[in-house]
Amino acid sequence: MSTLSDLTAALTGGAVEVIDLTAPLSPSTPVLQLPPPFANTIPLSLEPVSDFDDAGPFWGWNNIHTGEHTGTHLDAPSHWATGRDGATVDKVPPARLVAPAVVVDISAQVAENPDFLLEPEHLEKWEAEHGRLPDGAWVLLRSGWSARNSDAKAFLNADENGPHTPGPSADASLWLATERGIVGLGVETVGIDAGAAGGFTPPFPAHHHLLGHDKYGLTQLQNLDRLPVTGAVLVVAPLPIVGGTGSPARVFALVEQG
Ligand SMILES: O=C(O)C(=O)c1ccccc1S
Ligand SMILES: [Mn+2]
């Protein structure tokens, strides 16, 4: 048997489960709301072209209107000033999009404090328990935030002082970008930076450091609670939008059962 035939046998036999980490993409999918004077992207909308009617008697289809950074999506290096000469989403090497994933669980801390920040000490503690973060792996930050997916207001969690959502500190962002050979950071929240990150130094440090070091962001993931701490393999499938800074993506995790 070949490796791939072993894999297909494991998939059909249930020894390997495919877990969908992608949030449903609909007009109610929350999108980031940056404060004035900054511009924001649009949410998804479907514009019917025909619906088994005179415009198309035997077919239905729609135009879709969306931002690149809507829903579960991939941030490419070219999205940020520090990575603007780097890969656009169509140039992200496919080999980096099928990769192992590890899970760093901060959900208990986030339940107490929605502004909780991942620090290097948390990553060092994780490594003391689970071994060094593997080169070529995605780091998935499990926060429990996807439980808010069906309530845009709760998901964005903003007040007069701005959004209150967890994420990496500036130090943790630099650590992830420079101390290990990871592929990128995946989160459950609307973006890879914490809600307060606009006021950090540098502003939005996860974007600044990760995308500036040819690493990627992955956002609005769900079902991270169904993944093992180590051992899952991620299949990340953004659209190859030519010149795009990111794209809505379908994200699957392959997880061995038993
Ligand atoms: O890349 C994103 O989707 C994202 O979260 C973002 C985009 C632009 C500015 C700030 C942020 S924080
Ligand atoms: Mn983005």
Side-chain angles (χ1 to χ4, degrees):
M1 293 265 269
S2 73
T3 303
L4 285 179
S5 58
D6 287 346
L7 174 59
T8 48
L11 289 166
T12 48
V16 170
E17 183 182 2
V18 180
I19 297 174
D20 195 348
L21 305 185
T22 319
L25 182 56
S26 81
S28 60
T29 298
V31 292
L32 182 76
Q33 295 303 312
L34 294 170
F38 306 125
N40 284 293
T41 59
I42 60 172
L44 176 88
S45 64
L46 294 180
E47 175 199 358
V49 175
S50 77
D51 190 17
F52 311 103
D53 51 22
D54 293 345
F58 308 123
W59 55 91
W61 53 356
N62 306 289
N63 287 324
I64 57 172
H65 302 262
T66 183
E68 296 165 321
H69 297 249
T70 302
T72 300
H73 70 270
L74 183 125
D75 287 347
S78 69
H79 170 44
W80 216 255
T82 50
R84 67 183 303 175
D85 297 329
T88 50
V89 68
D90 56 307
K91 299 294 186 196
V92 169
R96 297 186 77 188
L97 295 174
V98 181
V102 299
V103 179
V104 177
D105 187 354
I106 59 170
S107 49
Q109 297 95 317
V110 171
E112 295 295 316
N113 172 17
D115 287 307
F116 180 81
L117 297 180
L118 178 78
E119 296 289 357
E121 68 193 64
H122 302 123
L123 293 163
E124 288 156 356
K125 181 172 182 294
W126 187 97
E127 288 194 328
E129 293 173 31
H130 305 289
R132 185 181 172 91
L133 286 174
D135 287 352
W138 286 95
V139 174
L140 303 182
L141 196 55
R142 176 182 164 184
S143 61
W145 207 258
S146 57
R148 298 170 177 242
N149 277 1
S150 58
D151 178 346
K153 190 170 184 304
F155 187 78
L156 295 174
N157 200 36
D159 63 17
E160 63 281 3
N161 299 313
H164 298 276
T165 56
S169 68
D171 288 346
S173 300
L174 180 62
W175 192 98
L176 284 168
T178 59
E179 297 297 325
R180 296 292 181 269
I182 64 170
V183 173
L185 175 67
V187 298
E188 295 183 50
T189 46
V190 73
I192 56 175
D193 268 301
F200 292 1
T201 302
F204 304 110
H207 285 82
H208 180 98
H209 291 305
L210 289 169
L211 305 186
H213 284 85
D214 194 31
K215 292 171 170 64
Y216 314 131
L218 209 47
T219 75
Q220 290 197 26
L221 298 171
Q222 64 179 35
N223 292 323
L224 297 191
D225 57 326
R226 296 182 56 197
L227 302 188
V229 173
T230 60
V233 172
L234 236 51
V235 179
V236 179
L239 295 175
I241 301 169
V242 177
T245 68
S247 163
R250 194 71 185 263
V251 183
F252 297 124
L254 305 183
V255 177
E256 287 187 86
Q257 297 308 303

